[in-house]
Amino acid sequence: MKAFPKIKKSRQGAFTSWAKKNGFKDACSAASAVMKSKKKYSGKVVAMANYANNFGCKRK
């Protein structure tokens, strides 16, 4: 089993910050929107959204 993927301290909150700057209510709604239309967004944003979906938004 692989170790739990960690986020560098300097990158923590980056996706939430991006989401709010781009008019989303929260990171989970942004992650859902990004994952539905991946071609609109950069690979970095898609990766952050995927992480948010997998490890943050599923717990709610």
Side-chain angles (χ1 to χ4, degrees), residues 20-52:
K20 290 187 178 184
K21 284 180 192 171
N22 286 281
F24 293 99
K25 183 179 91 174
D26 59 12
C28 292
S29 62
S32 294
V34 169
M35 296 312 287
K36 285 180 184 172
S37 55
K38 294 178 191 176
K39 292 183 182 184
K40 283 178 146 180
Y41 303 98
S42 72
K44 197 178 253 187
V45 171
V46 171
M48 290 189 294
N50 188 45
Y51 188 92

Side-chain angles (χ1 to χ4, degrees), residues 1-6:
M1 185 175 190
K2 289 185 178 181
F4 187 78
K6 301 226 179 199

